[in-house]
């Protein structure tokens, strides 16, 4: 039997609270001051600086056994971490699909850290904030009131959740205990769909081979006529078509699949219609671009992120499901230690954990709630319009430059282009130019492959980016191309 320690041998109190809260307060003020300076001067810095080997080495220490003052840890942060950011805050970050964060978002993150609630469930205000955010999300894209949803890390998880709900819709309740057995499920997405779609099928036990990639047209949009034919052929061959994924904003070019046509085909074929609107769904905030998404409101489920075009700090993905009962039936579990009661702190069912795989969850909803309240959908819509404007400006400049060529039409805010001459291997030349630009700190585009050619890909997601940044990118590309020729 373990003995309870006598009073004189009792361990020191375990509280981690500081002896002097005022010192914590002072450090907090200092951090906020210095970090706002850092954020508000991002344009004055190089876009990106590679972390030197000495800094990496300085990070590698054994686990601390005794603590150290938080002031000293903050000094480490300023020395070893801050200078080597991923560049998301910078107006000339143009790579991949990265949002820039915002003032309201950073304050929300501070509050989230202080509040430290677990948003798996129970009866507290944060759950209501999340419910409000889900209702706003449905309203933004035109899905009906009562649509269910949950915030997740990102669209990879949101697409995964949608695949699981669609799987449940196709195979019934027993799929949760028995798995898919020999069901010959097949799903459909455009050849330009994001890699998280096949991965979701893989993780759902269906297998990525079950994804039929439907060819895209010259504008990189799914060919709905081919979709219809492939579904019919699969049925004849004895497969069970269960899911069609339309993409609202493909990762490579920003193309928007013909969502209304796909919705009609899915309805005729009685197949789940899911939309991956990772960033494109945010265009619903703009009256100018909303029309491009026509059909999104007919989705059975929608995956998208607030951390991309809506500028909420990482991470803030979202899945919406038109049928809340089916959504709950896909995830809810009955567990003695998590019993949902009709009164007390264990009340207020259903809980977010009934709509997704996570139990312990951070208060993601606060930063979304604060961002939407601070800027409104109109403010986010202006971010969308500005990104699309800079993309058109960039495309026009590229078309005026004899050494450059566009590789894809500009649908929204993504521009794919390349240097068209100057080396035998143009793919290699353009790849090197992108790395040159990043290492010089001029701009940080990324690369992709369009119709077999390596493209310089500029994705205008940062709300701080203006047309002069597009010029800086083009000037930088031309300068690096010339340097490599001489
Ligand atoms: C179209 C599309 N779908 C899904 C994703 C995955 O989103 P996340 O990175 O938030 O998981 C992305 C990421 O860029 C995307 O562009």
């Amino acid at each position: 039997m373990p003995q309870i320690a006598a009073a004189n041998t009792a361990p020191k109190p375990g509280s981690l609270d500081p002896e002097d809260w005022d010192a914590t307060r002072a450090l907090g003020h200092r951090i906020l001051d210095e970090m706002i300076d850092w954020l508000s001067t991002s344009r004055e810095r190089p876009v990106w600086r590679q972390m030197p080997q000495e800094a990496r080495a300085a990070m590698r220490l054994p686990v601390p056994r005794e603590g150290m003052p938080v002031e000293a840890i903050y000094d480490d942060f300023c020395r070893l971490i801050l200078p080597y950011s991923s560049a998301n805050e910078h107006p000339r970050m143009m790579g991949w699909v990265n949002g820039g964060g915002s003032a309201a978002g950073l304050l929300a993150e501070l509050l989230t850290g202080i509040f430290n609630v677990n948003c798996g469930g129970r009866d507290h205000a944060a759950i209501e904030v999340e419910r409000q955010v889900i209702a706003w999300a449905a309203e933004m894209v035109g899905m009906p009131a009562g649509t269910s949803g949950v915030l997740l890390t990102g669209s990879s998880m949101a697409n995964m959740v949608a695949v699981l709900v669609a799987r449940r819709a196709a195979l019934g309740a027993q799929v949760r205990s028995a798995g898919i057995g020999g069901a010959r499920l097949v799903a459909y997405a455009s050849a330009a769909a994001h890699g998280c779609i096949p991965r979701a099928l893989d993780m759902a036990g269906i297998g990525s081979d079950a994804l039929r990639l439907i060819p895209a047209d010259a504008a990189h949009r799914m060919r709905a006529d081919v979709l219809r034919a492939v579904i019919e052929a699969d049925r004849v061959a004895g497969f069970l078509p269960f899911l069609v994924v339309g993409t609202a904003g493909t990762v490579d070019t920003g193309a928007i699949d013909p969502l209304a046509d796909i919705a009609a085909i899915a309805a005729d074929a009685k197949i789940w219609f899911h939309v991956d609107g990772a960033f494109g769904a945010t265009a619903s905030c703009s009256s100018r671009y909303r029309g491009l998404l026509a059909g999104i409101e007919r989705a059975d489920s929608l995956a998208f992120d607030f951390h991309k075009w809506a500028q909420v700090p990482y991470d803030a993905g979202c899945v919406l499901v038109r049928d809340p009962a089916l959504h709950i039936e896909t995830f809810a579990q009955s567990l003695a230690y998590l019993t949902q009661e009709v009164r007390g702190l264990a009340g207020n069912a259903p809980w977010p954990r009934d709509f997704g795989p996570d139990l312990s969850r951070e208060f993601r909803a606060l930063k979304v709630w604060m961002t939407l309240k601070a800027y409104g959908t109109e403010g986010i819509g202006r971010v969308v319009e500005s990104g699309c404007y800079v993309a058109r400006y960039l495309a026009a400049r590229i078309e005026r430059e004899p050494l450059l060529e566009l590789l894809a039409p500009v649908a929204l805010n993504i521009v794919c282009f390349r240097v068209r001459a100057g080396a035998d291997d143009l793919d290699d030349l353009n790849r090197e130019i992108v790395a040159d630009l990043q290492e010089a700190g001029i701009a940080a585009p990324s690369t992709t492959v369009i119709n077999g050619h390596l493209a310089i890909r500029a994705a205008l997601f940062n709300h701080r980016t203006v047309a002069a940044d597009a010029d800086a990118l083009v000037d930088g590309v031309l300068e690096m191309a010339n340097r490599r020729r001489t």
Side-chain angles (χ1 to χ4, degrees):
M1 281 276 287
Q3 298 291 311
I4 295 178
N8 59 354
T9 59
K12 288 186 189 159
S15 170
L16 302 177
D17 279 345
E19 281 172 18
D20 177 10
W21 274 108
D22 283 342
T24 303
R25 189 191 313 276
L27 179 63
H29 284 283
R30 190 184 133 209
I31 290 178
L32 204 51
D33 281 346
E34 292 179 4
M35 290 303 104
I36 287 176
D37 286 346
W38 178 81
L39 191 57
S40 60
T41 54
S42 59
R43 183 174 280 288
E44 295 161 25
R45 294 190 295 271
V47 176
W48 177 74
R49 283 173 63 193
Q50 189 176 31
M51 191 175 186
Q53 287 309 326
E54 310 82 73
R56 293 178 205 259
M59 300 277 287
R60 296 201 186 97
L61 298 171
V63 63
R65 299 199 64 82
E66 297 297 337
M68 63 192 278
V70 185
E71 286 80 355
I73 304 169
Y74 174 57
D75 288 346
D76 283 351
F77 173 83
C78 291
R79 194 170 51 90
L80 297 176
I81 300 172
L82 189 64
Y84 316 114
S85 84
S86 73
N88 279 355
E89 76 288 352
H90 200 287
R92 288 196 300 280
M93 170 59 170
M94 300 171 178
W96 303 277
V97 182
N98 285 347
S102 74
L106 81 87
L107 294 174
E109 288 287 57
L110 185 64
L111 298 176
T112 300
I114 294 167
F115 209 37
N116 186 35
V117 288
N118 182 341
C119 285
R122 293 175 276 273
D123 194 358
H124 54 105
I127 303 299
E128 296 308 323
V129 178
E130 182 153 351
R131 287 176 182 157
Q132 176 65 89
V133 162
I134 295 299
W136 284 345
E139 189 182 335
M140 275 164 53
V141 296
M143 287 179 74
T147 292
S148 59
V150 70
L151 297 179
L152 297 151
T153 45
S155 283
S156 299
M157 278 308 298
N159 282 309
M160 169 76 191
V161 164
V163 166
L164 292 173
V165 184
R167 191 187 70 161
R168 164 72 182 75
L171 297 183
Q174 77 280 1
V175 71
R176 292 187 62 190
S177 48
I180 67 165
R184 299 177 74 198
L185 294 175
V186 280
Y188 307 86
S190 119
H194 192 269
C196 68
I197 305 296
R199 201 165 55 155
L201 288 161
D202 158 10
M203 291 189 293
I206 298 163
S208 55
D209 285 352
L211 184 65
R212 307 282 196 252
L213 291 180
I214 306 299
D217 63 16
H220 302 265
R221 295 154 40 99
M222 185 200 280
R223 283 192 48 196
D225 56 328
V226 178
L227 171 69
R228 194 183 284 279
V230 174
I231 292 173
E232 278 167 18
D234 274 336
R235 279 218 205 280
V236 170
F239 288 101
L240 180 56
F242 83 108
L243 167 69
V244 182
V245 180
T247 303
T250 59
V251 63
D252 280 333
T253 67
I256 300 168
D257 285 342
L259 300 178
D261 294 348
I262 297 172
I265 293 169
D268 288 350
K270 299 194 173 31
I271 302 178
W272 190 269
F273 172 43
H274 171 69
V275 175
D276 176 7
F279 64 88
T282 306
S284 62
C285 293
S286 157
S287 51
R288 182 166 179 177
Y289 290 98
R290 188 177 304 136
L292 298 178
L293 304 175
I296 197 171
E297 71 290 347
R298 293 168 66 184
D300 291 306
S301 54
L302 168 68
F304 76 103
D305 288 315
F306 285 103
H307 59 221
K308 292 186 162 76
W309 228 351
Q311 313 296 320
V312 171
Y314 283 85
D315 47 37
C318 180
V319 67
L320 298 177
V321 178
R322 179 179 295 271
D323 181 341
L326 197 64
H327 193 178
I328 291 186
E329 286 162 16
T330 307
F331 289 100
Q333 271 179 306
S334 163
L335 298 165
Y337 48 87
L338 286 172
T339 304
Q340 298 171 333
E341 304 288 357
V342 289
R343 50 188 288 268
L345 184 52
N348 198 27
W351 295 345
R353 68 130 185 151
D354 298 322
F355 296 103
D358 297 315
L359 175 55
S360 290
R361 308 170 61 247
E362 68 159 291
F363 189 7
R364 262 185 210 110
L366 185 66
K367 57 193 173 185
V368 181
W369 188 74
M370 280 182 61
T371 301
L372 289 175
K373 279 174 94 80
Y375 309 112
T377 56
E378 292 290 319
I380 303 299
R382 283 191 292 276
V383 174
V384 167
E385 288 170 17
S386 158
C388 294
Y389 164 76
V390 177
R392 284 198 309 277
Y393 178 93
L394 174 58
R397 168 89 199 265
I398 289 164
E399 283 180 320
R400 289 197 304 275
E401 294 292 345
L403 192 58
L404 304 180
E405 67 180 340
L406 280 178
L407 288 181
V410 176
L412 291 169
N413 60 337
I414 299 178
V415 183
C416 290
F417 66 105
R418 70 170 179 168
V419 173
R420 67 197 308 172
D424 292 339
D425 186 339
L426 288 178
D427 287 358
D428 199 43
L429 174 68
N430 282 281
R431 184 183 297 110
E432 294 297 333
I433 287 172
V434 167
D436 288 347
L437 288 171
Q438 293 168 355
E439 288 179 358
I442 295 170
S446 56
T447 61
T448 190
V449 175
I450 304 288
N451 298 330
H453 302 303
L454 187 124
I456 301 175
R457 177 178 165 284
L460 290 318
F461 283 98
N462 189 301
H463 58 102
R464 304 179 179 105
T465 307
V466 293
D469 296 309
D471 281 324
L473 170 68
V474 173
D475 294 345
V477 168
L478 295 175
E479 184 191 329
M480 296 305 174
N482 281 329
R483 273 196 213 171
R484 289 198 162 267
R485 279 207 285 195
T486 50

